[in-house]
């Protein structure tokens, strides 16, 4: 998760790619399938200065299979706030 909060676009991008792969293969709830991770991804999507990092964060969010895997129903409001 520390890589997601890094100022470097390359580190952020690589972290999003790694999380995407892990979430796609994960069948159970784990540390990366949490509201904390999702909040960071939405923040990257809304605020990161690098377009490639923002696109990769969106791709990562699309890998989650359900709202529960993203951290719960409250995540929907967060999604709207990040794209508004």
């Amino acid at each position: 998760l520390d890589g997601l909060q890094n100022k470097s676009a390359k580190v952020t991008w690589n972290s999003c790619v790694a999380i995407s792969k892990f979430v796609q293969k994960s069948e159970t709830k784990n540390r990366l399938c949490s509201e904390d991770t999702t909040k960071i991804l939405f923040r990257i999507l809304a605020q990161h200065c690098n377009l490639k990092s923002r696109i990769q964060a969106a791709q990562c969010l699309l890998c989650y299979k359900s709202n529960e895997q993203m951290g719960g129903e409250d995540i929907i409001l967060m999604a709207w706030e990040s794209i508004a």
Side-chain angles (χ1 to χ4, degrees):
L1 293 179
D2 292 336
L4 289 176
Q5 299 180 51
N6 195 296
K7 299 264 186 219
S8 166
K10 181 69 173 167
V11 173
T12 301
W13 187 88
N14 284 338
S15 297
C16 288
V17 170
I19 290 172
S20 295
K21 290 179 181 181
F22 191 79
V23 168
Q24 285 174 335
K25 294 179 181 180
S26 178
E27 295 297 324
T28 60
K29 188 165 175 75
N30 58 60
R31 183 173 178 225
L32 297 177
C33 296
S34 69
E35 188 175 335
D36 293 336
T37 304
T38 308
K39 282 181 182 178
I40 296 169
L41 289 169
F42 279 125
R43 190 175 330 117
I44 293 168
L45 180 63
Q47 300 173 355
H48 205 281
C49 60
N50 182 274
L51 182 61
K52 287 184 178 182
S53 295
R54 293 171 77 172
I55 291 168
Q56 195 57 49
Q59 287 289 95
C60 187
L61 288 164
L62 291 171
C63 292
Y64 288 96
K65 297 175 182 85
S66 67
N67 290 341
E68 290 76 29
Q69 199 179 32
M70 294 176 84
E73 292 296 323
D74 296 336
I75 226 64
I76 295 170
L77 178 59
M78 198 180 311
W80 281 111
E81 289 172 352
S82 70
I83 60 173

